[in-house]
Amino acid sequence: MIEKILIANRGEIAVRIMRTCREMGIRSVAVYSEADRKAMHVRYADEAYCVGPAPSLDSYLNIDNILKAAQEANADAIHPGYGFLSENALFAQKAAEAGLIFIGPSPEAISLMGDKLTARQLMTDSGVPVVPGSKESMADETMLLKTATEIGFPVMIKASAGGGGKGMRLVKQESELIPAYRRARSESLAAFGDDTVYIEKYLESPHHIEFQILADQHGNTIHLFERECSVQRRHQKVIEETPSPFITPELRKKMGQQAIAAAKTVNYTGAGTIEFLMDKYHNFYFLEMNTRLQVEHPITERVTGKDLVKAQINIANGLELEFKQEELVQKGHAIECRIYAEDHKNNFAPSPGLVKNITEPMGLGLRTDGYVYEGYEIPIYYDPLISKLIVWAPSRQEAIARMKRALYEYKITGIKTSIPFLAKIMDSAAFQQGRYDTHFIEDNLEFLLEEDATHQTYEDIALFIAYLDYTDKLNKYTPEKTADTKSQSNWKTFGHRNNLFHL
Amino acid sequence: MIEKILIANRGEIAVRIMRTCREMGIRSVAVYSEADRKAMHVRYADEAYCVGPAPSLDSYLNIDNILKAAQEANADAIHPGYGFLSENALFAQKAAEAGLIFIGPSPEAISLMGDKLTARQLMTDSGVPVVPGSKESMADETMLLKTATEIGFPVMIKASAGGGGKGMRLVKQESELIPAYRRARSESLAAFGDDTVYIEKYLESPHHIEFQILADQHGNTIHLFERECSVQRRHQKVIEETPSPFITPELRKKMGQQAIAAAKTVNYTGAGTIEFLMDKYHNFYFLEMNTRLQVEHPITERVTGKDLVKAQINIANGLELEFKQEELVQKGHAIECRIYAEDHKNNFAPSPGLVKNITEPMGLGLRTDGYVYEGYEIPIYYDPLISKLIVWAPSRQEAIARMKRALYEYKITGIKTSIPFLAKIMDSAAFQQGRYDTHFIEDNLEFLLEEDATHQTYEDIALFIAYLDYTDKLNKYTPEKTADTKSQSNWKTFGHRNNLFHL
Amino acid sequence: MSLELKINNRTARIEILTRNGSHYRVLIDNKEYELDIEKVEHNAYSILHQGKSINMEMIEGKSANHYQVNTYNRYYEIDIIDAATRYRHHFNGQITSLDRFITSPMPGKVVKILVEEGEAVARNQTLIVVSAMKMDSEYKSPFDGVIKTVLVKEGQAVDALQHLIEIENMGKEEGKSKKGKG
Amino acid sequence: MSLELKINNRTARIEILTRNGSHYRVLIDNKEYELDIEKVEHNAYSILHQGKSINMEMIEGKSANHYQVNTYNRYYEIDIIDAATRYRHHFNGQITSLDRFITSPMPGKVVKILVEEGEAVARNQTLIVVSAMKMDSEYKSPFDGVIKTVLVKEGQAVDALQHLIEIENMGKEEGKSKKGKG
């Protein structure tokens, strides 16, 4: 059985994994870059090893250094978290070669799902619907034009090795096709070292709905229902909820079965996520599989009552799944808000810096997964996600009310955060009614950026408090001045006396 | 419908009630004593009114001042929380007379259940078992001796108006009976202005198990299962859990039915708790009914998924219960630890004072209900309960592991807290195996107060950090000294110059 | 004390009428308020006004007389102008024009510098790219001008508001010599 | 600097061998340690020692040279004795005997005073009752003696470690007059 796990990650997810390790009596090993010596995951872990300079490429993405740390710590397993090396087949491979248990699927499964064209083909072969589009790489412009015309505009050009919106282009009409194709290829080459692109039909009013799956080494594969992730900004998820307000119980069942089928095509083991796109007519298509834990896994944990990290570790230990599909229910409703260090009024620019005060929201139905603390300086090198706020309530309406209450209580000062922006989303009619697709933020941006009406009394009081605080501050520094004045006057007196003495 | 609630309480419970108010869109009104201007409930509320000087008798127990505040704020309901006026029939009566909805049962129900002898009689009449003992007040010593002999020693002498262990005496043999009776009467007279006492059989290895009930104004009364509260110190609950590791499903069903029957004897409405004592043979007896919310209500909320404060408000609004008995299930396991400001190594003496730093535990399966913040000075006038830590997990074993993890993360500095003591309880074999009764703390005190073995390396490092911190501090104050020295040397120079000038 | 407080375009005058412990009677632009004010945490104030409980966080900004204020639903920036500040502002206005410097609002790392000293640049031309938290931000020239000094190097970490590049405005006449690339 | 550190009955000597940023090589009572030490929060330190991640909270006690230290599973009290403190301790020892004062370890309110000035009291006799947080604590005389001064009144709020009552020890001879109730 696994007794010591190296967590090849940082931030909230590293701490979250260590929490489960501690509950399971497993020792945790942190790795950190030179910029992260004071980071929470280093403080929380039982052991910690430096793996290189601040840039991720030199530390959190440095496979050799991480494996060396695992060896030094005598760890018997590695948990990759999300991001960084979590979907790197070579890392999984090298970890296994070094005699370490990689807490995730096989290198083969990572590879197959990591290449989007291959994954599309696998799905098609297994009867899982994919977005209509090319079965192969668009190697030349003639082929491209022919395929695009067959599919029908608008189309999306996508990098086969892509992710995070890079190498992706929306093409609304034929005239835009060739220039967009060329840009996508060069962007993909620059970002991933591979210029393979393919095209897909562009869905109108799309929903991003994903299914959590768990598969053990004994052939048991189950799903833990969906997460609705359509509240996005630039392909970055902002809010997730489960159950989805958009799908029906019949669809849920069908999509869940398809998700299990998709995972089985690669003999998947561990925790993974099948992402689907769904159009406004409830047609759904396989988008991609994430072969790792997701940022938004806590909402699934909350409605099912399962600890997904514990399930991952148990699977890696070769244990059978502790629960069966028919035992799982979605109880109540859970919503997650991602708290980013960013300034939404300044084009969502990241806002690293020194965290001065934090007041965590507390009480019934809340969970926070964060990693920043008072006095911590958020480094500029990594993701701006600083915390996740998860609420649960019996109904969606109550969950929204609770989220509003929690966002009201949550105070982080010193840096700008997305808390006010998230509160505006909770106030928007479209979100409250559950009528939203991936264009939600774009479509509602004016409302979401609008300031609440100025309250004359509050403004006046704010002015007075500023006045008080400032004059207090001046008074606090006055004693020093008084002392100066005093010593100066003593000095004069002394001089005066001297004068007298010598006269 | 209720739109504004005055919360006639302070501390964590006032904040907890306000949280639900905020989620329901109800405005909250705080009342505070002069010692509590900076307390969290004042900051959290929408409105706040001072109701008198620091001592509770002059403020939180001052009915007239509280009703005046309700009038001034134009509140339409009062929530009494627990403690203070929550079981005061006169307060409920006067609130109703002032046109306010009292969020609790009728004054009659409070009165009937408040007098323990009356309550015992009511239960006996309704077939709810009570601890064998006297049916009436022990008015003279002859009657006392006769009844005690009938019941058989050991017996408990109890104040009819009593609570919190006052006016209570354990009598192991006949020779102790008369002195104990006299002391109990005079103590009861001093504490409650009433010297009525009665006697009960003393149960061996007793368990304190209580049932949460909810009753609406339409005759629906349901129970929300039990809470095991046997971890006590001086009749003060320290840890509660649900389900009880001691009872069986059959007992649960039977006790739940008896709890509902007990509540119905007084046409109870609102949330209430029926406390039972259970001996080691699983015989159970009605102990008393608490006609209010309990400190430990969150564990019931966690396993049933119901917000009890919301249910109270809905009942007060005249709504029917939203759920039926057969829809309720106890899902998983919940434990609450009460965090007191106390020094367990110094005979559990209270430890008020200034809170310097707080690190709240976070992540999966936790809830904290607290009210202290960094920079807050805990006043000496009120209860030392500063926070409640509630964990949930699928199984009891996992819940204990999670509680240990949470207690490890929870840091409150500046004052002494019960956190280390609670951690020791989690480590004790008797608690882990679920084999404990109300004597648990007494029986295990030696283990619970035992310090963990000294770790030589930690001690050495602690010494070095103290050395570093101290020398840093000295260096920080050095610049001031330098400045002094400098100005002094300027002064000398000036004097010297003057000398030269005049020579 | 002679203080002016600025909030957006408003300049306010404050006068304390009476003070009794934490209770203030105060005139704010001639409107009278009765307030009970307690500082409860490092940055946080609790205010009672006609029974209403109001919380405000006063966060010190770039300088001691700049505040960022958070209330329940709003965010304000307040500047306090005392006599000394007024003088300093007046004085600074004479000798330097702040908009000649390109700065980044947040700390980051210089990814790319696209211009050289002495180079003529057009309005909105991208001069420098700074990366922070996985996002690249491009900074553009605010006017037609000439790059006077490049104050940073590629790969260098920079602080918030640090001067990165100095440009001379070609549309503006100043009484100083216009040096080319040294 | 000449410092002695006391922890329980142990007095320790510390010597820093080398320092390189946050890395220290140090001798603690002749045992050598290599430590990487960072102050991360107001009171909190993060220490790496042979790969182990250790957290310590250093809370300043009653005085600047008294520390309460929390580690994972232990609580320590450490006193730092520098030359000045040593001198002060020595000096204080000459003129006052601290155990003559009855103090409460926590802030509270005096509920009842059971003795008068000049009254003879026996060892373990209850002198005063102080209430804090719904709990009454009785303070008893540490020896047979005479009440010299009652420094507080019933109903008065008192601080932690404030002197409440002064007693003269009858078993001990001192070169001072023994005043009765004045």
Side-chain angles (χ1 to χ4, degrees):
Chain A
M1 287 292 158
I2 294 168
E3 283 169 13
K4 193 190 270 192
I5 297 177
L6 180 141
I7 293 97
N9 217 303
R10 67 179 302 281
E12 70 85 17
I13 193 62
V15 177
R16 187 262 167 272
I17 293 162
M18 290 174 194
R19 288 197 163 107
T20 287
C21 289
R22 183 166 285 275
E23 291 180 14
M24 293 178 76
I26 293 170
R27 291 181 65 80
S28 55
V29 180
V31 293
Y32 63 97
S33 77
E34 286 166 11
D36 268 348
R37 171 64 184 85
K38 296 185 181 186
M40 184 54 92
H41 73 289
V42 176
R43 298 173 61 190
Y44 198 98
D46 291 310
E47 301 180 28
Y49 297 87
C50 185
V51 289
S56 306
L57 264 176
D58 303 327
S59 47
Y60 297 109
L61 293 172
N62 187 323
I63 294 178
D64 289 344
N65 286 4
I66 289 171
L67 293 178
K68 225 171 70 191
Q71 210 153 25
E72 200 179 337
N74 207 12
D76 37 28
I78 290 188
H79 195 304
Y82 55 70
F84 293 128
L85 295 170
S86 61
E87 294 181 287
N88 185 311
L90 183 64
F91 181 54
Q93 179 86 47
K94 283 198 167 181
E97 284 165 13
L100 293 155
I101 296 172
F102 180 80
I103 300 177
S106 66
E108 295 71 33
I110 299 175
S111 279
L112 290 169
M113 285 299 185
D115 186 80
K116 307 221 165 156
L117 265 177
T118 311
R120 274 174 68 85
Q121 190 57 54
L122 278 170
M123 293 308 120
T124 309
D125 295 348
S126 314
V128 179
V130 298
V131 180
S134 56
K135 287 204 180 58
E136 48 201 296
S137 165
M138 294 291 100
D140 65 66
E141 296 175 3
T142 326
M143 183 182 179
L144 173 76
L145 184 57
K146 182 169 168 284
T147 316
T149 314
E150 275 169 26
I151 296 169
F153 290 93
V155 300
M156 287 294 280
I157 303 179
K158 291 186 170 183
S160 187
K166 277 196 174 150
M168 206 188 275
R169 281 284 180 287
L170 169 61
V171 182
K172 291 193 178 159
Q173 56 199 47
E174 199 183 308
S175 63
E176 299 167 357
L177 186 66
I178 304 296
Y181 170 74
R182 290 176 186 167
R183 275 202 308 278
R185 280 186 73 160
S186 72
E187 205 172 293
S188 175
L189 187 65
F192 314 108
D194 178 352
D195 68 353
T196 310
V197 299
Y198 62 101
I199 61 173
E200 271 181 7
K201 178 144 190 68
Y202 175 75
L203 299 185
E204 281 177 90
S205 187
H207 284 252
H208 178 118
I209 297 170
E210 61 186 28
F211 274 70
Q212 176 68 51
I213 70 112
L214 280 177
D216 66 21
Q217 299 176 20
H218 308 276
N220 303 304
T221 305
I222 60 172
H223 74 85
L224 291 90
F225 312 105
E226 82 282 10
R227 291 183 289 258
E228 167 72 62
C229 310
S230 301
V231 179
Q232 299 187 348
R233 201 182 60 78
R234 296 191 197 152
H235 305 284
Q236 178 85 282
K237 294 167 192 165
V238 175
I239 292 174
E240 305 92 356
E241 61 178 317
T242 182
S244 164
F246 187 60
I247 69 172
T248 61
E250 294 69 39
L251 272 169
R252 178 172 297 117
K253 202 173 166 189
K254 201 168 153 193
M255 292 171 84
Q257 285 162 352
Q258 299 280 19
I260 290 172
K264 286 194 165 171
T265 58
V266 292
N267 294 319
Y268 197 84
T269 56
T273 296
I274 313 290
E275 297 190 334
F276 292 106
L277 276 187
M278 182 177 273
D279 68 16
K280 59 179 168 183
Y281 309 106
H282 282 143
N283 298 310
F284 66 90
Y285 308 98
F286 173 86
L287 181 64
E288 65 179 49
M289 178 168 194
N290 292 326
T291 55
R292 51 161 170 90
L293 201 64
Q294 302 274 94
V295 176
E296 58 273 22
H297 76 277
I299 57 173
T300 298
E301 295 186 324
R302 193 55 178 85
V303 296
T304 62
K306 306 300 176 193
D307 178 340
L308 291 178
V309 173
K310 185 172 185 174
Q312 287 185 300
I313 295 170
N314 283 341
I315 290 168
N317 264 326
L319 301 180
E320 278 200 55
L321 282 174
E322 279 180 331
F323 33 90
K324 297 196 179 351
Q325 187 69 57
E326 56 272 23
E327 291 162 18
L328 290 171
V329 283
Q330 273 171 309
K331 196 187 174 195
H333 197 94
I335 305 176
E336 173 181 277
C337 278
R338 299 190 184 191
I339 316 286
Y340 289 108
E342 68 180 17
D343 183 0
H344 64 280
K345 289 190 188 163
N346 183 15
N347 197 26
F348 300 90
S351 174
L354 184 71
V355 177
K356 288 190 178 166
N357 276 341
I358 306 179
T359 305
E360 299 284 349
M362 295 198 295
L364 184 59
L366 304 193
R367 167 178 174 183
T368 38
D369 274 37
Y371 81 102
V372 304
Y373 57 85
E374 291 179 9
Y376 178 67
E377 176 130 20
I378 300 175
I380 60 166
Y381 301 97
Y382 316 110
D383 196 275
L385 180 72
I386 51 173
S387 170
K388 304 182 310 200
L389 177 56
I390 300 104
V391 303
W392 177 90
S395 68
R396 183 169 190 273
Q397 195 191 343
E398 289 166 297
I400 293 173
R402 185 158 291 165
M403 184 60 89
K404 285 166 79 164
R405 188 268 288 177
L407 290 167
Y408 165 76
E409 289 182 23
Y410 211 164
K411 315 257 187 243
I412 303 175
T413 66
I415 54 166
K416 298 265 195 332
T417 73
S418 54
I419 292 173
F421 185 69
L422 295 162
K424 284 293 261 185
I425 294 179
M426 290 298 136
D427 276 340
S428 74
F431 186 81
Q432 288 188 354
Q433 292 157 15
R435 293 185 293 94
Y436 63 86
D437 57 35
T438 57
H439 305 309
F440 165 76
I441 288 184
E442 219 171 273
D443 293 347
N444 292 274
L445 202 57
E446 200 180 334
F447 170 82
L448 298 175
L449 293 179
E450 195 180 276
E451 295 224 24
D452 290 341
T454 299
H455 193 307
Q456 177 67 38
T457 303
Y458 280 24
E459 188 176 308
D460 282 358
I461 294 173
L463 283 164
F464 183 56
I465 304 290
Y467 173 90
L468 273 190
D469 199 276
Y470 184 72
T471 50
D472 260 23
K473 220 161 35 184
L474 288 188
N475 290 336
K476 219 170 82 186
Y477 294 121
T478 303
E480 246 178 58
K481 283 186 188 163
T482 314
D484 276 353
T485 319
K486 209 170 168 186
S487 88
Q488 209 172 2
S489 84
N490 277 343
W491 185 37
K492 280 183 188 162
T493 312
F494 183 80
H496 189 60
R497 273 204 206 129
N498 262 4
N499 281 353
L500 286 174
F501 186 74
H502 286 278
L503 278 177
Chain B
M1 288 291 156
I2 293 167
E3 283 170 10
K4 193 190 272 191
I5 297 176
L6 180 143
I7 292 97
N9 217 304
R10 68 179 301 283
E12 68 85 17
I13 192 62
V15 178
R16 187 261 168 272
I17 294 163
M18 290 174 195
R19 287 195 162 108
T20 287
C21 289
R22 183 167 285 275
E23 290 180 15
M24 293 178 77
I26 293 171
R27 291 180 66 80
S28 57
V29 180
V31 293
Y32 63 98
S33 76
E34 285 166 12
D36 268 350
R37 170 63 183 86
K38 296 185 180 185
M40 185 53 94
H41 73 289
V42 176
R43 299 173 60 191
Y44 198 97
D46 292 309
E47 301 181 27
Y49 297 88
C50 185
V51 289
S56 304
L57 264 176
D58 302 327
S59 48
Y60 296 110
L61 292 172
N62 187 324
I63 294 179
D64 290 343
N65 286 4
I66 289 172
L67 292 179
K68 225 171 70 191
Q71 211 155 23
E72 199 180 338
N74 209 12
D76 38 28
I78 291 189
H79 195 304
Y82 55 68
F84 293 128
L85 295 170
S86 62
E87 293 181 287
N88 185 313
L90 182 65
F91 181 54
Q93 179 86 49
K94 281 197 170 183
E97 283 166 13
L100 293 155
I101 296 172
F102 180 80
I103 300 176
S106 66
E108 294 72 35
I110 299 175
S111 279
L112 290 169
M113 286 298 186
D115 185 79
K116 306 219 165 153
L117 265 177
T118 309
R120 273 174 70 83
Q121 190 57 53
L122 278 169
M123 293 309 119
T124 309
D125 296 348
S126 314
V128 178
V130 297
V131 181
S134 57
K135 286 203 178 61
E136 47 202 298
S137 163
M138 294 289 100
D140 64 66
E141 295 174 2
T142 325
M143 185 183 176
L144 172 78
L145 184 58
K146 182 171 167 281
T147 316
T149 314
E150 276 170 26
I151 297 168
F153 290 92
V155 299
M156 287 294 279
I157 302 179
K158 290 187 171 183
S160 186
K166 278 199 173 148
M168 207 188 273
R169 282 284 180 290
L170 169 62
V171 181
K172 291 192 178 159
Q173 54 199 46
E174 199 183 308
S175 63
E176 299 167 356
L177 186 66
I178 303 296
Y181 170 71
R182 289 178 187 165
R183 276 202 307 278
R185 281 185 73 159
S186 70
E187 205 172 293
S188 174
L189 186 66
F192 313 109
D194 179 351
D195 68 354
T196 310
V197 299
Y198 63 101
I199 60 173
E200 271 182 8
K201 179 148 190 66
Y202 175 76
L203 299 184
E204 282 177 272
S205 187
H207 284 252
H208 178 120
I209 297 171
E210 62 186 27
F211 274 71
Q212 176 68 52
I213 70 112
L214 281 176
D216 66 20
Q217 300 176 19
H218 307 277
N220 303 305
T221 305
I222 58 172
H223 74 84
L224 291 91
F225 312 106
E226 83 281 10
R227 292 183 288 258
E228 168 71 64
C229 309
S230 300
V231 180
Q232 301 187 348
R233 201 181 61 78
R234 295 191 198 153
H235 305 283
Q236 179 85 282
K237 294 167 190 164
V238 174
I239 292 175
E240 304 93 357
E241 61 177 316
T242 183
S244 163
F246 187 59
I247 68 172
T248 60
E250 294 70 37
L251 271 170
R252 178 172 297 117
K253 200 171 168 192
K254 201 168 152 194
M255 292 172 84
Q257 284 163 352
Q258 298 282 18
I260 290 172
K264 285 195 165 170
T265 59
V266 293
N267 295 316
Y268 198 84
T269 55
T273 296
I274 314 291
E275 297 191 333
F276 292 105
L277 276 187
M278 183 177 271
D279 68 16
K280 58 179 169 184
Y281 309 108
H282 281 143
N283 299 309
F284 67 91
Y285 308 98
F286 172 85
L287 180 64
E288 65 178 51
M289 177 167 195
N290 292 325
T291 56
R292 50 158 171 91
L293 201 65
Q294 302 274 93
V295 175
E296 57 272 24
H297 75 277
I299 57 173
T300 298
E301 294 186 325
R302 193 54 178 85
V303 296
T304 62
K306 305 302 176 192
D307 179 340
L308 291 179
V309 174
K310 186 172 186 175
Q312 287 185 300
I313 295 171
N314 284 341
I315 290 169
N317 264 325
L319 301 178
E320 278 200 55
L321 282 174
E322 278 180 333
F323 33 91
K324 298 197 180 350
Q325 186 68 57
E326 56 271 22
E327 291 164 18
L328 291 171
V329 284
Q330 274 173 306
K331 193 184 176 197
H333 198 93
I335 305 177
E336 173 181 278
C337 279
R338 299 190 185 190
I339 317 286
Y340 290 108
E342 67 179 19
D343 183 2
H344 65 281
K345 289 190 188 164
N346 182 15
N347 196 27
F348 299 91
S351 174
L354 185 72
V355 176
K356 288 189 180 166
N357 275 342
I358 304 179
T359 305
E360 299 283 349
M362 294 197 297
L364 184 57
L366 303 194
R367 166 179 175 184
T368 38
D369 274 37
Y371 81 102
V372 304
Y373 57 86
E374 291 179 7
Y376 178 67
E377 176 131 21
I378 300 175
I380 60 166
Y381 301 97
Y382 316 110
D383 197 275
L385 180 72
I386 52 174
S387 169
K388 302 181 313 198
L389 177 55
I390 300 104
V391 304
W392 177 91
S395 68
R396 184 170 190 272
Q397 194 190 344
E398 288 166 298
I400 293 172
R402 186 157 291 164
M403 183 60 88
K404 286 166 80 163
R405 188 269 288 176
L407 289 168
Y408 166 76
E409 288 182 23
Y410 210 165
K411 315 257 189 243
I412 302 175
T413 66
I415 53 166
K416 299 263 192 341
T417 73
S418 54
I419 292 172
F421 186 70
L422 294 162
K424 283 294 259 185
I425 294 180
M426 291 297 135
D427 276 341
S428 74
F431 186 81
Q432 288 187 355
Q433 294 159 15
R435 293 186 294 93
Y436 64 86
D437 57 35
T438 57
H439 304 310
F440 165 76
I441 288 185
E442 220 171 90
D443 292 349
N444 291 276
L445 202 58
E446 200 181 333
F447 170 81
L448 297 176
L449 292 180
E450 196 179 275
E451 296 222 25
D452 290 342
T454 298
H455 193 307
Q456 177 68 36
T457 304
Y458 280 23
E459 186 176 310
D460 282 358
I461 293 173
L463 283 164
F464 183 56
I465 304 291
Y467 174 89
L468 273 190
D469 198 276
Y470 183 73
T471 50
D472 260 21
K473 219 160 35 181
L474 289 187
N475 291 337
K476 218 170 81 186
Y477 293 121
T478 304
E480 245 178 61
K481 283 186 188 162
T482 315
D484 274 353
T485 319
K486 208 172 171 186
S487 87
Q488 207 172 6
S489 84
N490 276 345
W491 185 38
K492 281 180 186 161
T493 313
F494 183 80
H496 189 57
R497 273 204 207 132
N498 261 4
N499 282 351
L500 288 175
F501 186 73
H502 286 276
L503 281 175
Chain C
M1 196 170 353
S2 163
L3 292 179
E4 280 176 14
L5 285 95
K6 288 208 167 189
I7 188 164
N8 301 323
N9 294 321
R10 174 180 169 199
T11 304
R13 271 195 320 142
I14 283 171
E15 191 186 337
I16 297 178
L17 300 175
T18 61
R19 179 185 172 178
N20 182 4
S22 62
H23 291 265
Y24 292 84
R25 263 195 339 119
V26 64
L27 275 184
I28 300 163
D29 277 346
N30 297 321
K31 197 169 159 196
E32 189 176 329
Y33 289 91
E34 282 191 52
L35 303 168
D36 179 19
I37 298 172
E38 288 279 3
K39 187 167 185 173
V40 287
E41 280 181 85
H42 181 53
N43 290 322
Y45 286 84
S46 165
I47 301 113
L48 296 183
H49 172 244
Q50 296 178 343
K52 305 280 173 300
S53 174
I54 301 162
N55 298 284
M56 290 197 181
E57 290 175 315
M58 308 297 300
I59 304 140
E60 210 174 273
K62 292 150 267 175
S63 66
N65 49 2
H66 181 81
Y67 284 99
Q68 299 166 343
V69 185
N70 284 317
T71 69
Y72 164 49
N73 67 341
R74 286 280 296 195
Y75 169 81
Y76 302 102
E77 303 225 5
I78 294 177
D79 281 297
I80 293 167
I81 320 287
D82 58 17
T85 315
R86 244 190 324 263
Y87 177 75
R88 209 158 49 237
H89 275 201
H90 181 72
F91 183 70
N92 284 348
Q94 298 286 326
I95 54 163
T96 62
S97 159
L98 286 169
D99 63 359
R100 297 197 318 195
F101 288 100
I102 302 299
T103 61
S104 155
M106 68 226 170
K109 193 174 169 177
V110 177
V111 173
K112 196 128 198 81
I113 299 171
L114 300 154
V115 290
E116 291 187 346
E117 291 185 3
E119 188 175 331
V121 293
R123 184 161 180 275
N124 282 333
Q125 182 180 337
T126 300
L127 309 177
I128 187 166
V129 182
V130 177
S131 159
M133 304 183 115
K134 304 205 302 188
M135 184 165 149
D136 290 354
S137 301
E138 300 185 344
Y139 295 92
K140 297 170 198 292
S141 178
F143 40 65
D144 296 339
V146 169
I147 302 301
K148 193 172 171 194
T149 335
V150 175
L151 298 147
V152 291
K153 287 181 188 152
E154 289 185 4
Q156 181 180 336
V158 294
D159 283 335
L161 304 179
Q162 182 179 334
H163 291 175
L164 307 176
I165 286 177
E166 186 181 3
I167 325 168
E168 265 183 292
N169 190 338
M170 297 308 285
K172 199 162 92 184
E173 279 304 308
E174 292 185 325
K176 291 200 263 175
S177 72
K178 285 176 187 117
K179 275 193 291 190
K181 190 182 169 186
Chain D
M1 196 169 352
S2 160
L3 291 181
E4 281 176 10
L5 285 94
K6 288 208 164 186
I7 190 164
N8 301 322
N9 295 319
R10 172 181 171 201
T11 304
R13 271 196 319 143
I14 283 172
E15 192 185 337
I16 297 178
L17 300 174
T18 60
R19 179 185 172 178
N20 182 3
S22 62
H23 291 265
Y24 292 84
R25 263 195 340 117
V26 62
L27 275 184
I28 300 165
D29 277 346
N30 297 320
K31 196 168 160 197
E32 188 176 329
Y33 289 91
E34 281 192 53
L35 303 168
D36 180 17
I37 298 173
E38 288 280 3
K39 186 168 186 171
V40 287
E41 279 181 85
H42 181 53
N43 291 321
Y45 285 83
S46 164
I47 301 113
L48 296 182
H49 172 245
Q50 296 179 343
K52 305 281 174 298
S53 174
I54 301 163
N55 297 284
M56 290 199 182
E57 290 175 314
M58 308 297 298
I59 303 141
E60 209 174 273
K62 291 150 269 176
S63 67
N65 49 4
H66 181 82
Y67 284 100
Q68 299 165 344
V69 185
N70 284 317
T71 70
Y72 165 49
N73 67 341
R74 286 280 296 193
Y75 170 82
Y76 302 103
E77 303 225 7
I78 294 177
D79 280 295
I80 294 168
I81 321 285
D82 59 17
T85 314
R86 245 190 323 265
Y87 177 75
R88 211 159 48 236
H89 276 200
H90 182 70
F91 183 69
N92 284 347
Q94 298 285 325
I95 53 160
T96 61
S97 161
L98 286 169
D99 63 358
R100 294 196 322 190
F101 288 99
I102 302 298
T103 61
S104 156
M106 67 224 170
K109 193 175 167 176
V110 177
V111 173
K112 197 128 197 77
I113 299 173
L114 299 153
V115 291
E116 290 188 347
E117 292 184 1
E119 190 175 330
V121 293
R123 184 160 181 273
N124 281 332
Q125 181 180 337
T126 300
L127 308 178
I128 188 167
V129 182
V130 177
S131 159
M133 303 182 117
K134 305 207 301 190
M135 184 166 150
D136 290 353
S137 302
E138 299 184 347
Y139 295 93
K140 296 169 199 292
S141 179
F143 40 64
D144 295 337
V146 168
I147 302 301
K148 192 173 172 194
T149 335
V150 175
L151 297 146
V152 290
K153 288 179 189 155
E154 290 187 1
Q156 183 180 335
V158 296
D159 282 336
L161 304 178
Q162 182 179 333
H163 292 175
L164 308 176
I165 287 176
E166 187 182 4
I167 326 169
E168 266 184 289
N169 189 340
M170 296 309 286
K172 200 163 88 183
E173 280 303 312
E174 289 186 328
K176 289 200 263 174
S177 70
K178 281 172 189 125
K179 274 193 292 186
K181 189 183 169 187

